[in-house]
Amino acid sequence: MKQLRVGVLAGLFAGAGLLSWAAARLWDSFGSLPSVPLAAPIVLAAIAAVLAATALSLRTRLKAQRERRAGAKGVEPLMAARAVVFGQASALVAALVSGMYGGVGVFLLGSLDVPARREQAILAGFSVLAGAAVIAAAFFLERVCRLPEDTDTPRGTGPARA
């Protein structure tokens, strides 16, 4: 499984932001712009909370397992892998959605004197912040579930593979 890359997420964010900014300009020239839903930042924040709670739970269980505490509940490797895949998928979607709302928010910055547009720009900004929280929680979850490095044999000096 490959790790998340900041460059890929930044590219998705920038691409979605540029496309949604252009779409918002085009849509606004035909009439009214669709609104940013109130649920957008709430849902993204909830996903970030679930990812962070999962990471904290797994970190506690893995620490107890490494310290061989009595009664420690271990972590199944498949469960950890599923959690990481959920985190990576959430981060990719959050980058796209945040970019989309970021592009709309940038477009709305030109008309902050209109109260309705100001409210929409604030919601778009909160959506971007909540998307960033999802990405941060996904990186934390990925870091928690990373296997420890093998310190016994340096890279390239292990047994030959056929």
Side-chain angles (χ1 to χ4, degrees):
M1 182 179 324
K2 292 186 178 182
Q3 292 183 347
L4 281 174
R5 295 180 185 244
V6 175
V8 171
L9 296 174
L12 286 171
F13 177 83
L18 185 63
L19 286 174
S20 68
W21 173 78
R25 283 188 58 169
L26 180 65
W27 199 312
D28 191 51
S29 69
F30 288 122
S32 66
L33 188 65
S35 64
V36 176
L38 176 64
I42 295 170
V43 169
L44 286 169
I47 292 170
V50 167
L51 287 173
T54 302
L56 291 172
S57 171
L58 286 174
R59 184 176 71 169
T60 303
R61 289 173 59 185
L62 286 169
K63 184 178 178 183
Q65 186 177 2
R66 275 191 300 258
E67 293 173 355
R68 301 188 195 288
R69 291 183 193 158
K73 186 175 180 183
V75 176
E76 294 180 28
L78 188 58
M79 185 182 84
R82 286 179 180 159
V84 170
V85 168
F86 171 62
Q88 288 180 347
S90 298
L92 291 169
V93 170
L96 284 171
V97 170
S98 318
M100 184 184 75
Y101 287 126
V104 171
V106 167
F107 172 75
L108 290 171
L109 288 177
S111 56
L112 289 179
D113 53 333
V114 179
R117 295 246 171 148
R118 184 179 327 114
E119 181 181 313
Q120 292 299 301
I122 290 170
L123 280 175
F126 280 134
S127 297
V128 171
L129 289 176
V134 169
I135 292 170
F139 274 114
F140 179 56
L141 177 62
E142 188 176 66
R143 185 173 180 272
V144 165
C145 292
R146 189 178 327 153
L147 291 174
E149 293 286 329
D150 187 12
T151 57
D152 293 340
T153 57
R155 280 195 169 187
T157 62
R161 296 178 194 220

